[in-house]
Amino acid sequence: MASQIPEAHHVAENTFYVGCVDYNIRSFHGYETQFGTSYNAYAIVNVPHPTIIDSVKYPFAEEYIENIKKAIDLSEIKYAISLHSEPDHSSSFPHLLRAAPHITLYCSRNGKKALEANYPEDFPNWNVVTYKDKDTLDLGDGHVLHFRLVPLLHWPDSSYCFDVKTKTLFSSDAFGQHRAHTARVDDAPGALDWSYISRDTRAYWANILMPFGRQACKALDSLATLPAGPSLVACAHGINTRKYLGEHIELYKRWANHICVRPEVVILYDSMWKATEKVAEAIKEGVMLEGAEATIVNARETHITLIADHVLDAPCLAIGSSHLNGELLPPMGQALTYLKGLQPNWKRVGAAFGSYGWQSHAKKLNDSLVDSGVQSVVDPLVWAYKYTPEVLEKAREMGRELGRHAHSRVAADLEKLKSL
Ligand code: FEO
């Protein structure tokens, strides 16, 4: 049976890719997916208890079922496992379980709640068994799955399972990337190299996993509790990792622990009549005078997905906005709302600046900075209408101050990194 599957979809012994590649998606609930994505699912076959791990987003349900059929007759499947119930990984289970109602579906207790709520018409017909942390499921012939709960990586139900025979960690959203590609594993012929995969991994972490650093640390620790170290991580999106597994884990350790390795100040702004933009440039000059890095990001011209990527591991963030009707300019409001959700506990520091007409918005700016999760370390810089030479000089001094903060954060973090 398995010979009908392309060789590229053979990811480990008796383990086949049965997921689907979504080349055309460009918005994943707001995340700009310019390179598409994939919904990865797997079949462990040629064992006494053949098993399907995860499903795919519902528009691909028929393709998913056809992919499974290339690996195994549906009547022979014993178990299906839902590692994470977000619909991009669960919404084809109704199709699979209607076609093969004898299958026993395994999920975590939180997963069961979400599946029941999401699929109320189908769920009562399913034979569902829940697993706990450290439970095992024996598929036969040495394929024993070890479960680990990794709550909030990315939902409360998120979990891993590890096949002790192939040393494959099925990691769900963790270690994923939004990338549509024909290669299934990073050591396959024609696979993208690390420069692409690391970029995609970074964008994915910034937009999906950045809020969950604490939980990610626990999930990384749980790898040490597996019966063996993984040799392959089979994730739920993008390209699986065998060749670059060590590099992935190093990046995850850095990001999960909020480690900054570059003394960077991101200057995120929007400007009505270019006064605020000119002052952003002066802040940049100050940062550079301290030998730090400055990245200017115009919130009006930049998608929030890329803004999160810019901000990810920058120790300092300066925000700038002109005053409009008592508020910040709308693109800044959108960007800061997005960052507020993404960066709790990040301990980033920063400052705010902007031009006003007839009423100072210093407090509004500073409150917006703090509310987005950034500690304010310099008094806000505001001025009426056009900047003056004195304003530009204060902006350079603000940049210098932030540049010094960036250097000291990096020095402390590099020390901390040695102990991780
Ligand atoms: Fe890819 Fe949290 O689902």
Side-chain angles (χ1 to χ4, degrees):
M1 282 303 273
S3 61
Q4 294 180 49
I5 290 199
E7 181 53 31
H9 289 189
H10 183 190
V11 298
E13 183 180 354
N14 297 328
T15 309
F16 294 87
Y17 182 85
V18 293
C20 300
V21 180
D22 189 345
Y23 288 95
N24 297 319
I25 187 171
R26 290 294 175 268
S27 176
F28 192 100
H29 53 53
Y31 178 146
E32 186 179 52
T33 46
Q34 61 187 131
F35 303 115
T37 192
S38 64
Y39 314 107
N40 299 344
Y42 304 90
I44 301 176
V45 298
N46 306 322
V47 294
H49 303 304
T51 296
I52 303 298
I53 298 177
D54 283 330
S55 82
V56 301
K57 191 173 163 185
Y58 61 90
F60 294 86
E62 283 185 24
E63 183 182 332
Y64 166 65
I65 302 288
E66 289 308 309
N67 288 345
I68 293 173
K69 284 181 179 171
K70 289 177 190 165
I72 187 168
D73 192 287
L74 298 187
S75 65
E76 296 176 29
I77 300 168
K78 177 85 171 176
Y79 306 127
I81 294 170
S82 173
L83 293 174
H84 172 32
S85 58
E86 193 166 3
D88 49 330
H89 308 298
S90 68
S91 56
S92 293
F93 275 136
H95 305 76
L96 175 63
L97 296 174
R98 272 178 228 148
H102 66 279
I103 292 174
T104 299
L105 179 67
Y106 278 74
C107 59
S108 65
R109 284 179 62 187
N110 280 327
K112 184 180 176 187
K113 283 185 209 163
L115 291 171
E116 190 168 14
N118 275 326
Y119 311 108
E121 291 175 3
D122 288 270
F123 186 86
N125 301 321
W126 295 351
N127 177 23
V128 175
V129 174
T130 58
Y131 53 76
K132 304 185 298 300
D133 195 41
K134 296 196 169 63
D135 276 358
T136 58
L137 180 63
D138 191 348
L139 312 188
D141 290 349
H143 290 268
V144 180
L145 300 181
H146 290 246
F147 292 100
R148 293 291 180 276
L149 302 186
V150 286
L152 288 172
L153 206 72
H154 149 242
W155 275 15
D157 67 313
S158 295
S159 39
Y160 293 158
C161 72
F162 177 74
D163 183 345
V164 76
K165 173 138 186 180
T166 60
K167 295 187 172 61
T168 300
L169 178 71
F170 298 94
S171 65
S172 190
D173 278 339
F175 301 106
Q177 328 96 49
H178 282 313
R179 168 71 70 166
H181 199 268
T182 50
R184 299 273 53 89
V185 184
D186 60 6
D187 61 354
L192 293 172
D193 68 23
W194 180 240
S195 62
Y196 287 89
I197 295 173
S198 58
R199 281 292 313 145
D200 294 343
T201 300
R202 178 186 169 91
Y204 185 90
W205 178 282
N207 286 277
I208 304 283
L209 297 177
M210 200 201 307
F212 308 118
R214 199 174 291 155
Q215 293 85 356
C217 289
K218 285 186 191 160
L220 288 168
D221 290 345
S222 81
L223 295 180
T225 72
L226 296 172
S231 59
L232 169 68
V233 170
C235 58
H237 295 289
I239 299 171
N240 297 317
T241 185
R242 183 184 284 123
K243 183 175 175 183
Y244 299 114
L245 178 53
E247 287 88 339
H248 266 282
I249 290 175
E250 282 311 305
L251 282 181
Y252 265 46
K253 266 189 204 165
R254 251 175 53 192
W255 294 330
N257 287 282
H258 304 153
I259 298 288
C260 303
V261 296
R262 290 169 37 227
E264 182 185 17
V265 179
V266 172
I267 303 163
L268 175 66
Y269 78 99
D270 191 17
S271 187
M272 194 185 300
W273 294 108
K274 295 202 175 288
T276 301
E277 182 170 81
K278 178 73 175 174
V279 170
E281 291 283 342
I283 294 170
K284 178 194 79 176
E285 291 168 14
V287 172
M288 293 174 69
L289 286 171
E290 290 296 324
E293 300 172 38
T295 303
I296 292 193
V297 182
N298 183 310
R300 185 178 299 266
E301 305 297 337
T302 311
H303 196 277
I304 53 173
T305 307
L306 186 53
I307 291 174
D309 191 323
H310 276 301
V311 168
L312 167 58
D313 50 1
C316 299
L317 175 65
I319 65 156
S321 177
S322 323
H323 201 195
L324 177 71
N325 300 329
E327 299 292 339
L328 307 191
L329 291 169
M332 284 302 293
Q334 175 181 253
L336 293 176
T337 298
Y338 192 55
L339 291 178
K340 178 180 180 176
L342 288 175
Q343 58 180 6
N345 309 314
W346 223 98
K347 296 189 169 59
R348 214 183 301 278
V349 302
F353 62 98
S355 168
Y356 63 88
W358 47 96
Q359 183 183 12
S360 167
H361 60 328
K363 184 170 184 318
K364 169 71 70 180
L365 275 167
N366 210 53
D367 288 351
S368 300
L369 179 75
V370 171
D371 192 44
S372 75
V374 178
Q375 182 192 347
S376 173
V377 290
V378 183
D379 287 341
L381 173 60
V382 297
W383 63 96
Y385 301 110
K386 196 172 179 185
Y387 49 85
T388 63
E390 291 74 27
V391 167
L392 294 179
E393 191 47 40
K394 284 183 182 172
R396 283 186 207 98
E397 190 45 49
M398 175 183 275
R400 296 191 79 139
E401 181 69 21
L402 293 177
R404 291 191 284 272
H405 274 279
H407 278 302
S408 52
R409 168 75 183 257
V410 168
D413 281 7
L414 289 177
E415 278 306 305
K416 186 175 164 188
L417 188 57
K418 290 178 190 167
S419 64
L420 294 178

